[in-house]
Amino acid sequence: MIKHSSWTPSASSNTLKKRSDTLHTIRSFFYNRNIYEVETPLLSQYSVTDPHIDSISSKLYQATYFLQTSPEFFMKRLLASNSDSIFQICKAFRHEQSSPTHSAEFTMLEWYHIGIDYHALMSEVEALITPLLSQSIDVKKYSYQSIFFTYCQLNPLNCSIQQLEQFVVNNISEVQQAENFSRDDWLDLIMALFIQKNMPDNQLIFIFDYPASQASLAQLSSINPLVAERFECFFNGIELANGFQELQNAEIQQERFKENQNTRQHNKQPAMDIDIHFLQALQHGLPFCSGVALGIDRLMMIILNKHNIEECMSFSDI
Amino acid sequence: MASYSTNEFKGGLKILIDKDPCSIIENEIVKPGKGQAFNRVKIRNLKTGRVIERTFKSGESVEAADVMETEMQYLYSDGEFWHFMDQESFEQTSADKTTVGEAYKWLKDQDICTLLLWNNAPISVEPPNFVTLEITETDPGLKGDTSGGGNKPATLQTGAIVKVPLFIQIGEIIKVDTRSGEYVSRIKE
């Protein structure tokens, strides 16, 4: 579906200038911390196996390549080989429907800080974002368990699926084909459609220690193996950033990828090969680090108080 | 059976929910960066008019509802059914009391109504926006009082009761807005 029929930009010239200023400030932030900028390919023979992230594929002569859904695998290959803290501002692509807060093509800021844990990285995210906002804001940090308890009086780590379903029906809406919902689907639904929707405005909210089943590429906690050392950051209910204390163990990572592949097969989704170069890099050794990805277009929405992501992008054809 | 995937959802799409034909009013896509995507939709049940909310896991499919809107001429009522005719094919169809609902008050022979058909059977009847009907009963008013101060109830040929200005008499024809049920004007024959 072609949305934009006019030749003119979808963002105003003021917005584009502000965006340029913001990118400049972000780059200075990292240069001052001796985190250097890298560029990695947008087209690769591999992409993610994550069943919730679909990649856009592209043909180059006879071969199929994928537009990257994030620069994570390439950046970790750099980390394994050079051991320097790095950042990147690049385009990322997802085979997803666009919405007022999401575009299938978007700009991502991703960085990896060697030698710091995920709590220190949350502070770094806060240090980057707060000066970019015109008003002073509150910063709140909750564990996944405590925010669920505060908003829903449920313990997300051990309540029953029936309790989750009951909460959804009572507080959100009825659900179609509820029998196909997994435990994580219910948790995602409550997070996206209840907790995020009820977050107070003008607060930067961090949620950390996600359920182990949602670890993705994060380390599991050594203190509580039911949770992963993963965090997300929200502002006005919009998901802004996702970070991990990075999993260094190649075998565990391979297991998670295989599980993803099984889920994909079960859901009849396109099969995805495991990025063998990424696993080899982990086997070689990823330094202890934490990394985070942050949506630049959404950050601009917040800075400029815009309600549609298109208004923060120069053009929006998709 | 035709079906739609959630990524085809948009306003106006007709789908079957709980075996009833429904129309999508609003479709909101929610996609956590690392989690399951959902479609939260507001839908109108086309039989009852009730608006409900439903949440779908994105990627699920839902059965399509074979619903179409058509204009038909109202013929007559036999007390149990109201009969309509397609003016091109001359095919007739009948709607029961629940389907006709409140529209019965405005149905006059030969008027063109809008019918919603589901699997070719009517599920709702919409009268024309304006109808002209004869007054069958009302208090004798003050002749010549056209100042428009005050009104009185009047019964129309269809049984509907509307408020009319005091000068309107039995036997006169008036124009009524069926959406608000309000008197618009007197029609001089």
Side-chain angles (χ1 to χ4, degrees):
Chain A
M1 180 176 63
I2 293 168
K3 283 193 306 187
H4 217 70
S5 54
S6 154
W7 65 269
T8 54
S10 51
S12 71
S13 74
N14 274 344
T15 296
L16 294 174
K17 277 179 201 139
K18 185 70 192 168
R19 189 173 166 121
S20 167
D21 289 345
T22 306
L23 290 174
H24 181 91
T25 310
I26 291 171
R27 288 198 160 91
S28 308
F29 177 88
F30 290 111
Y31 297 147
N32 290 336
R33 290 171 182 239
N34 292 321
I35 299 176
Y36 77 92
E37 183 165 9
V38 297
E39 287 175 286
T40 58
L42 292 183
L43 276 179
S44 164
Q45 56 182 318
Y46 295 110
S47 187
V48 289
T49 53
D50 189 330
H52 296 311
I53 302 179
D54 285 323
S55 306
I56 299 174
S57 62
S58 175
K59 282 258 187 268
L60 181 60
Y61 299 107
Q62 275 74 40
T64 300
Y65 291 89
F66 296 100
L67 284 164
Q68 295 299 282
T69 61
S70 98
E72 182 156 11
F73 295 168
F74 279 114
M75 289 182 80
K76 285 183 175 169
R77 284 163 68 183
L78 286 175
L79 292 163
S81 118
N82 298 331
S83 298
D84 288 308
S85 296
I86 50 176
F87 82 95
Q88 172 157 218
I89 295 170
C90 64
K91 291 287 193 167
F93 300 84
R94 299 199 178 167
H95 193 261
E96 284 164 7
Q97 285 179 282
S98 295
S99 76
T101 53
H102 181 64
S103 168
E105 173 181 345
F106 59 102
T107 301
M108 193 179 246
L109 161 66
E110 184 148 323
W111 80 93
Y112 293 87
H113 202 141
I114 302 276
I116 71 170
D117 70 11
Y118 66 123
H119 281 282
L121 186 60
M122 276 191 260
S123 304
E124 195 160 65
V125 171
E126 181 188 334
L128 172 73
I129 295 175
T130 42
L132 292 171
L133 303 173
S134 53
Q135 77 275 35
S136 70
I137 50 153
D138 285 335
V139 180
K140 294 268 159 67
K141 289 177 182 154
Y142 303 93
S143 71
Y144 192 92
Q145 213 174 349
S146 72
I147 201 154
F148 253 82
F149 195 78
T150 308
Y151 280 78
C152 320
Q153 289 79 53
L154 285 171
N155 182 342
L157 303 181
N158 66 17
C159 69
S160 68
I161 285 202
Q162 287 71 25
Q163 280 176 294
L164 294 170
E165 177 170 0
Q166 200 55 52
F167 182 86
V168 168
V169 171
N170 291 346
N171 297 284
I172 302 172
S173 82
E174 282 198 52
V175 162
Q176 196 74 7
Q177 282 142 324
E179 64 281 4
N180 295 346
F181 275 58
S182 69
R183 182 182 183 83
D184 281 322
D185 291 338
W186 289 114
L187 292 175
D188 284 339
L189 176 52
I190 295 172
M191 178 60 82
L193 285 171
F194 191 78
I195 299 179
Q196 278 178 243
K197 299 243 172 208
N198 288 305
M199 284 179 176
D201 282 350
N202 294 318
Q203 275 188 13
L204 193 62
I205 294 179
F206 287 90
I207 301 178
F208 58 91
D209 288 352
Y210 274 66
S213 54
Q214 300 179 18
S216 194
L217 288 88
Q219 195 114 258
L220 289 191
S221 161
S222 51
I223 308 157
N224 177 5
L226 291 178
V227 301
E229 291 171 333
R230 172 184 160 198
F231 70 86
E232 291 217 16
C233 167
F234 301 85
F235 192 83
N236 290 352
I238 297 176
E239 182 191 2
L240 196 55
N242 176 70
F244 303 137
Q245 188 164 307
E246 303 295 346
L247 178 63
Q248 295 166 280
N249 186 314
E251 277 164 43
I252 298 177
Q253 189 62 72
Q254 187 168 16
E255 276 312 304
R256 290 188 195 167
F257 285 163
K258 280 185 181 161
E259 240 169 76
N260 286 345
Q261 288 181 315
N262 292 339
T263 309
R264 281 187 163 268
Q265 197 175 7
H266 177 257
N267 295 347
K268 299 188 177 68
Q269 292 173 277
M272 294 298 292
D273 290 334
I274 293 174
D275 185 338
I276 191 70
H277 293 137
F278 170 60
L279 283 183
Q280 284 167 352
L282 287 188
Q283 278 154 9
H284 174 79
L286 181 74
F288 174 76
C289 66
S290 294
V292 59
L294 185 153
I296 291 290
D297 313 291
R298 287 188 180 173
L299 178 64
M300 294 313 301
M301 287 175 73
I302 290 162
I303 292 173
L304 296 166
N305 194 25
K306 301 279 188 202
H307 299 286
N308 199 321
I309 198 162
E310 280 179 27
E311 295 175 75
C312 298
M313 310 172 88
S314 58
F315 295 96
S316 173
D317 262 6
I318 49 173
Chain B
M1 196 69 76
S3 67
Y4 294 113
S5 158
T6 54
N7 55 37
E8 295 172 272
F9 278 11
K10 57 174 185 206
L13 196 74
K14 309 287 192 294
I15 55 175
L16 276 186
I17 298 288
D18 304 337
K19 298 184 180 137
D20 269 358
C22 295
S23 174
I24 294 181
I25 303 170
E26 250 178 62
N27 172 40
E28 181 193 5
I29 302 153
V30 184
K31 174 70 181 88
K34 298 252 175 223
Q36 175 62 46
F38 302 98
N39 290 63
R40 188 189 203 184
V41 291
K42 221 181 239 175
I43 31 194
R44 172 173 285 114
N45 182 318
L46 294 171
K47 280 170 79 177
T48 64
R50 241 165 47 92
V51 173
I52 55 165
E53 281 196 358
R54 271 296 154 91
T55 304
F56 293 73
K57 234 166 106 160
S58 297
E60 299 268 358
S61 331
V62 57
E63 229 176 277
D66 179 14
V67 172
M68 59 175 266
E69 206 176 72
T70 179
E71 296 204 324
M72 291 184 118
Q73 188 179 42
Y74 171 58
L75 299 176
Y76 66 96
S77 165
D78 57 23
E80 195 178 353
F81 289 100
W82 280 254
H83 300 268
F84 298 85
M85 181 179 71
D86 185 310
Q87 285 187 290
E88 277 170 26
S89 67
F90 304 111
E91 263 180 55
Q92 290 192 21
T93 189
S94 57
D96 64 12
K97 199 170 181 168
T98 356
T99 305
V100 174
E102 288 296 288
Y104 83 90
K105 290 195 293 194
W106 312 115
L107 294 182
K108 194 181 76 176
D109 310 358
Q110 293 176 21
D111 272 358
I112 305 297
C113 301
T114 308
L115 271 72
L116 212 51
L117 303 180
W118 174 39
N119 298 332
N120 295 318
I123 51 170
S124 83
V125 174
E126 218 178 286
N129 289 345
F130 296 100
V131 290
T132 56
L133 294 165
E134 188 185 336
I135 309 272
T136 55
E137 209 185 306
T138 189
D139 285 343
L142 306 160
K143 234 189 167 133
D145 178 5
T146 54
S147 61
N151 51 46
K152 58 179 182 180
T155 308
L156 307 179
Q157 65 183 104
T158 56
I161 296 174
V162 294
K163 283 194 169 143
V164 299
L166 299 175
F167 58 84
I168 299 285
Q169 305 294 324
I170 292 174
E172 283 191 292
I173 311 282
I174 61 163
K175 182 175 171 183
V176 182
D177 186 330
T178 60
R179 293 159 298 183
S180 59
E182 279 169 14
Y183 165 91
V184 179
S185 63
R186 176 161 59 165
I187 305 287
K188 292 243 170 84
E189 299 244 305

